[in-house]
């Protein structure tokens, strides 16, 4: 007891963090596994937005004095989220190219849509 506030033991804190991570991983996997292939491109765009929020959160954490462990974790979060964003952009572009018609591309329309002139 410290000033009337109960402190949770460190081992219990880590147990709760691991439990939340495992539960969120399982729920995320179940939800993503049920998404039809047509919705993967919008889903990829949303995960890119989430990764951008992760980067902003890590940068906010880096703006205050932190210990070595927090700096390493924030750096890893920035690197992983950046990798996810860059990979997501390439995959989204590749998937969108699959929906472009060949006749529109051969006519020089970069959008891939056929227009009547």
């Amino acid at each position: 007891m410290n000033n009337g506030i109960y402190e949770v033991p460190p081992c219990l804190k880590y147990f709760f963090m691991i439990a939340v991570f495992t539960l969120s991983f399982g729920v995320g996997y179940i939800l993503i596994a049920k998404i039809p292939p047509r919705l993967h491109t919008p889903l990829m765009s949303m995960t890119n937005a989430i990764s951008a929020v992760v980067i902003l959160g890590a940068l906010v954490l880096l703006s205050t004095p932190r210990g070595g462990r927090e700096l390493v974790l924030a750096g890893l979060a920035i690197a992983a989220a950046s990798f996810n964003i860059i990979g997501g952009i390439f995959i989204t572009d590749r998937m969108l190219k699959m929906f472009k018609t060949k006749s529109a591309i051969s006519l020089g329309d970069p959008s891939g849509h056929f227009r009547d002139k």
Side-chain angles (χ1 to χ4, degrees):
M1 195 103 137
N2 186 9
N3 294 333
I5 299 173
Y6 177 74
E7 290 188 25
V8 179
C11 61
L12 198 56
K13 287 181 185 179
Y14 291 122
F15 173 76
F16 284 129
M17 283 190 250
I18 291 171
V20 168
F21 176 77
T22 305
L23 183 64
S24 62
F25 179 82
V27 169
Y29 179 78
I30 290 169
L31 290 176
I32 290 174
K34 294 184 180 194
I35 291 178
R38 288 184 180 178
L39 296 178
H40 278 268
T41 300
L43 178 68
M44 186 63 70
S45 299
M46 183 54 76
T47 58
N48 286 344
I50 293 170
S51 293
V53 172
V54 169
I55 290 175
L56 289 176
L59 289 174
V60 168
L61 284 175
L62 290 175
S63 68
T64 59
R66 298 284 172 184
R69 188 177 356 173
E70 288 91 3
L71 290 176
V72 169
L73 288 175
L76 288 174
I78 290 172
S82 300
F83 182 77
N84 188 33
I85 289 174
I86 292 168
I89 289 170
F90 284 121
I91 291 172
T92 301
D93 184 51
R94 186 174 178 190
M95 288 185 72
L96 289 175
K97 284 180 182 176
M98 291 172 31
F99 293 106
K100 292 182 179 180
T101 60
K102 291 184 181 187
S103 61
I105 293 171
S106 65
L107 291 174
D109 184 8
S111 68
H113 301 291
F114 183 75
R115 294 185 186 140
D116 293 328
K117 294 184 179 184

